[in-house]
Amino acid sequence: MKNLSIVSAIAAALLVQTLAALAQQGPAPPPGTAPVLNLPLPLIDPAKELKGALLVEALRKGGFVLYMRHAETGVVTEKCDQSNLSATGEVQARAVGAAVRELNIPVGMVRASQPCRTGDSARLLGLGKVEITEDLNPVPPRPGFDIGAARARRLAEKPAAETNTVLVSHLHGSANKEEWLQLEMAEIIVFRPDGNGHTEPVARIRAAGWSALREAAVNNAARP
């Protein structure tokens, strides 16, 4: 019962946060559609941005944190005894995982927040055992918990040698707008931690962007 209360509290707080964010962003979208976001946040320095074959090659060497928003949500339940993703969401999650494997991008750790839809998304990626952590929750799990600091630590955590870390989470707000994370469903922001507590975004990969990365990798491999 205690766990149910925690999940209920998280869900209620997230609803309040979401409504407040939508109120700032403008009119609500039609029923059944995802919110229209003022992308992109965080901002990526064009001089440091990785794209195409360069991005694939960098990810193959490891050292990055891939921050992914969960796939499209279906029915939300308090207990994770059934999928909380829609049929489209399940396809999205499987497709992202398949692309990561096809491109030979090594993943050493997969973490997800406590709400069921993130754990569902992480497991359907098929990239390894999923660790559930409150550090990636959309709202503090209890009073006094600094969710922004916890998330920042995870984004700055250096992956194991020659691997990448995948974090499956949510949209995130902050008192400082520069810390906002706004993503489409199943989109990934690639962060490069320096091992000294600092990290920076260097790429965005939307759910539909993996085919272009595959093509770029193939074309690059075919060059003499």
Side-chain angles (χ1 to χ4, degrees):
M1 293 298 293
K2 183 179 179 181
N3 289 338
L4 290 179
S5 298
I6 293 173
V7 173
S8 297
I10 291 173
L14 177 60
L15 177 59
V16 171
Q17 182 188 63
T18 301
L19 290 175
L22 290 176
Q24 293 179 350
Q25 293 168 3
T33 63
V36 176
L37 306 176
N38 296 319
L39 297 172
L41 283 175
L43 298 177
I44 297 175
D45 183 346
K48 299 178 180 179
E49 186 174 10
L50 296 174
K51 297 181 179 180
L54 289 178
L55 173 58
V56 174
E57 289 303 314
L59 291 175
R60 284 174 175 169
K61 295 176 183 178
F64 296 88
V65 175
L66 280 63
Y67 183 96
M68 174 180 167
R69 184 185 178 189
H70 61 81
E72 184 179 275
T73 306
V75 176
V76 176
T77 61
E78 292 185 344
K79 295 179 64 177
C80 301
D81 53 0
Q82 68 180 72
S83 177
N84 277 210
L85 299 179
S86 67
T88 297
E90 292 184 353
V91 170
Q92 288 174 333
R94 288 192 177 98
V96 171
V100 171
R101 293 191 298 273
E102 183 179 337
L103 289 170
N104 297 315
I105 296 172
V107 173
M109 179 67 71
V110 181
R111 295 188 173 98
S113 65
Q114 291 177 315
C116 303
R117 57 191 176 278
T118 50
D120 293 335
S121 299
R123 282 184 285 273
L124 286 177
L125 292 174
L127 299 175
K129 183 179 179 181
V130 178
E131 175 188 310
I132 301 299
T133 172
E134 63 186 10
D135 290 351
L136 298 174
N137 283 5
V139 293
R142 57 185 176 277
F145 188 95
D146 189 338
I147 199 69
R151 180 179 70 249
R153 284 194 300 270
R154 292 298 189 181
L155 290 173
E157 189 174 355
K158 192 79 172 176
E162 299 181 353
T163 72
N164 301 284
T165 296
V166 174
L167 306 179
V168 185
S169 189
H170 312 259
L171 301 177
H172 274 285
S174 170
N176 179 2
K177 191 170 182 178
E178 293 181 357
E179 297 174 351
W180 286 16
L181 299 179
Q182 295 197 8
L183 307 84
E184 296 176 352
M185 298 290 185
E187 182 181 5
I188 286 175
I189 300 176
V190 179
F191 285 85
R192 177 163 48 199
D194 63 7
N196 295 311
H198 180 262
T199 191
E200 61 182 347
V202 294
R204 299 183 76 114
I205 309 172
R206 292 181 173 175
W210 289 98
S211 58
L213 287 181
R214 287 193 193 95
E215 182 178 352
V218 169
N219 292 339
N220 187 61
R223 291 176 182 171

